[in-house]
Amino acid sequence: MNAAKLTDGIYKVGVNLPATKLFEGLWPIPKGASINGFVVQGDSIALIDLVQDFQTLPEEYQQELTELGIEQSKVSYLIVNHMEPDHTGWLGKFIKKNPHVKIYCTSKTVPMLASFYDVADNIVPIKTGDTLDLGQGKVLEFFETPNVHWPETMMVFERSSGILFSCDAFGSYGAVDNAKSFDDSVDEDKLKEYENEALRYYSNIVAAFSPFVTRAIKQLESLPIKMIAPSHGLIWRKDISRIIELYRTFAEYATTAGDKNSITLVWGSMYGNTEKALDAVREAVKEANITLYEHRAPDEEIGMALSDIWRSKGIILAMPTYEYQMFPPIAHVLDDCNRKKMFHKHCLRIGSFGWVGGAEKEVKVWGERLKWNMQPSIEWAGTPSEVELQKIKEGVRALIASMHATQTIEA
Ligand SMILES: Cc1cc2nc3c(=O)[nH]c(=O)nc-3n(C[C@H](O)[C@H](O)[C@H](O)COP(=O)(O)O)c2cc1C
Ligand SMILES: [Fe+2]
Ligand SMILES: [Fe+2]
């Protein structure tokens, strides 16, 4: 791919992870994921972020530099916004080949450069407000933005162009063709697809750090930003408020617990007895004009369900008892909710059992751990009766009333 031009002297050097790869070795990316590095060229040249050392990605990155006429020996600075190896995997090899390059990063990055890549020289730790003048009017200003995503993360603002290199913040999954790198290079349908991929990316990668995202957005408010260039996904220039507001909303779900007009149904069923109750759930949700997202475990990847769980204030867990406990794949989903700090939701659990049940005890423990507001559970032996189906509908109505009644605020 050819590098994409952001403005005179500033380019994106972008590559794509294939759809077959799992992001972080864990999260499915059926639409791929881009890794965006950048070049800022004044009298001297700076690279902002490198690339993962995976398959041919470093070669592709280098090829794009070459096509721009940039020799690596002429690069003076490497700006490391974030040490996660999707952006630094190739750093050790790059620095070995180009030991003259000065690395700009936060102080927390310094020991990580040594432990990850055995790099200890030519490092300049920065503080918020520090600048690097590249000549020809190009000035990089640094902002420490800890925990968006790792503790050492920072962002860079190029003053003459108003471009914010925001690293993982404002990023999304989804491969990007360098020829269509901007929010105005794609149609509305494709933009919506990237926004969905942004939600998936957020819920998988960033959700646990939401208070830091909110803080970073506040910190950047006073900057005259004209373009947002994240390290994953599209570059925003036509409507930067669209991605800022989207991320602001995603981060706010940490305190609002999600959209009060959305419910995510996470369900599993061995022989169909629990599944038989799902139409009652669907009907009651539809009657109330509430959006319902559905995910079956373990058939669907948890990475897919987490985005809908994150954006929904209401959760319905439908599962049978299995060896005196919860159906195991749902326990796995709840464990991930806890790790991603998806707290304060409103929840109804329904499910079938064969003899004496047992899932309920474990559901209670999870409800407390997640600080979820739990409706009384509805359980039945074997197949659900008409009476039980009516009870389920009432349970769903009570859940919705509870979602609408409570303003959840983080303690
Ligand atoms: C491996 C296995 C373990 C089970 N463990 C329990 C149990 O501990 N307690 C119980 O009451 N029923 C247990 N059951 C019975 C199921 O909960 C019951 O068949 C239920 O109707 C299954 O619902 P489903 O068809 O939605 O999977 C178990 C069934 C299986 C296959
Ligand atoms: Fe990251
Ligand atoms: Fe990243």
Side-chain angles (χ1 to χ4, degrees), residues 359-408:
E360 200 41 36
K361 275 190 292 211
E362 209 190 350
V363 169
K364 273 210 174 103
V365 171
W366 274 113
E368 275 167 31
R369 193 176 290 162
L370 288 161
K371 304 173 191 129
W372 284 6
N373 185 321
M374 304 299 286
Q375 290 295 312
S377 283
I378 299 163
E379 287 191 290
W380 61 91
T383 308
S385 68
E386 200 43 51
V387 171
E388 274 137 7
L389 294 176
Q390 288 311 318
K391 267 196 203 157
I392 287 168
K393 286 187 182 172
E394 280 158 29
V396 172
R397 287 181 204 119
L399 170 70
I400 293 167
S402 144
M403 286 156 59
H404 285 173
T406 323
Q407 290 275 357
T408 314

Side-chain angles (χ1 to χ4, degrees), residues 268-275 319-325 352-358 382:
S269 180
M270 295 179 280
Y271 297 111
N273 279 328
T274 303
E275 190 175 5
M319 83 192 102
T321 291
Y322 185 101
E323 292 173 0
Y324 302 100
Q325 297 183 73
S352 173
F353 61 89
W355 50 99
V356 291

Side-chain angles (χ1 to χ4, degrees), residues 71-336:
E71 292 169 36
Q72 287 175 38
S73 60
K74 302 277 165 58
V75 172
S76 301
Y77 305 104
L78 171 63
I79 317 299
V80 177
N81 275 346
H82 180 19
M83 271 299 291
E84 190 166 4
D86 50 337
H87 309 292
T88 64
W90 178 56
L91 188 147
K93 290 176 188 163
F94 173 77
I95 291 296
K96 202 163 199 178
K97 204 162 119 197
N98 302 287
H100 65 280
V101 170
K102 251 194 186 131
I103 298 176
Y104 279 62
C105 57
T106 65
S107 58
K108 286 194 191 123
T109 305
V110 178
M112 295 170 119
L113 284 166
S115 59
F116 279 66
Y117 304 114
D118 198 22
V119 169
D121 299 325
N122 249 344
I123 302 174
V124 182
I126 60 82
K127 289 214 170 338
T128 294
D130 286 357
T131 56
L132 172 62
D133 192 339
L134 299 173
Q136 296 182 26
K138 300 267 188 311
V139 177
L140 303 181
E141 184 175 354
F142 302 104
F143 292 87
E144 293 164 276
T145 51
N147 299 309
V148 187
H149 158 220
W150 282 13
E152 83 304 347
T153 313
M154 68 173 193
M155 298 186 194
V156 179
F157 181 67
E158 200 289 305
R159 285 177 173 172
S160 70
S161 58
I163 300 173
L164 177 71
F165 300 94
S166 61
C167 199
D168 283 351
F170 310 117
S172 79
Y173 292 144
V176 176
D177 176 349
N178 278 354
K180 294 180 182 169
S181 287
F182 300 94
D183 58 341
D184 51 296
S185 346
V186 296
D187 62 20
E188 183 59 28
D189 283 352
K190 193 77 186 162
L191 262 186
K192 292 230 164 73
E193 189 182 297
Y194 278 115
E195 286 184 333
N196 258 333
E197 288 298 275
L199 173 64
R200 284 211 320 109
Y201 176 79
Y202 190 95
S203 66
N204 294 177
I205 310 295
V206 191
F209 307 100
S210 289
F212 299 97
V213 175
T214 303
R215 191 178 303 167
I217 291 175
K218 271 216 175 82
Q219 184 187 352
L220 300 166
E221 243 161 25
S222 58
L223 283 180
I225 301 171
K226 295 209 181 80
M227 210 186 291
I228 294 185
S231 56
H232 303 285
L234 290 178
I235 297 166
W236 299 77
R237 66 180 177 189
K238 181 173 160 231
D239 187 2
I240 63 166
S241 65
R242 187 163 168 170
I243 190 68
I244 294 173
E245 287 314 312
L246 199 68
Y247 257 68
R248 201 195 300 275
T249 306
F250 295 165
E252 276 171 3
Y253 289 156
T255 49
T256 61
D259 172 9
K260 68 178 190 321
N261 290 314
S262 298
I263 291 176
T264 295
L265 166 65
V266 184
W267 67 280
S269 180
M270 295 179 280
Y271 297 111
N273 279 328
T274 303
E275 190 175 5
K276 280 182 190 138
L278 298 187
D279 277 345
V281 168
R282 293 181 185 116
E283 277 168 36
V285 172
K286 199 169 169 202
E287 274 165 19
N289 264 330
I290 297 284
T291 305
L292 183 67
Y293 306 106
E294 296 190 25
H295 294 276
R296 181 174 188 170
D299 310 52
E300 284 179 57
E301 293 278 355
I302 294 177
M304 300 297 188
L306 284 181
S307 52
D308 289 331
I309 293 173
W310 182 247
R311 70 169 144 182
S312 301
K313 188 168 181 178
I315 308 293
I316 297 175
L317 303 174
M319 83 192 102
T321 291
Y322 185 101
E323 292 173 0
Y324 302 100
Q325 297 183 73
M326 287 168 48
F327 188 51
I330 307 274
H332 191 179
V333 172
L334 295 184
D335 183 54
D336 264 357

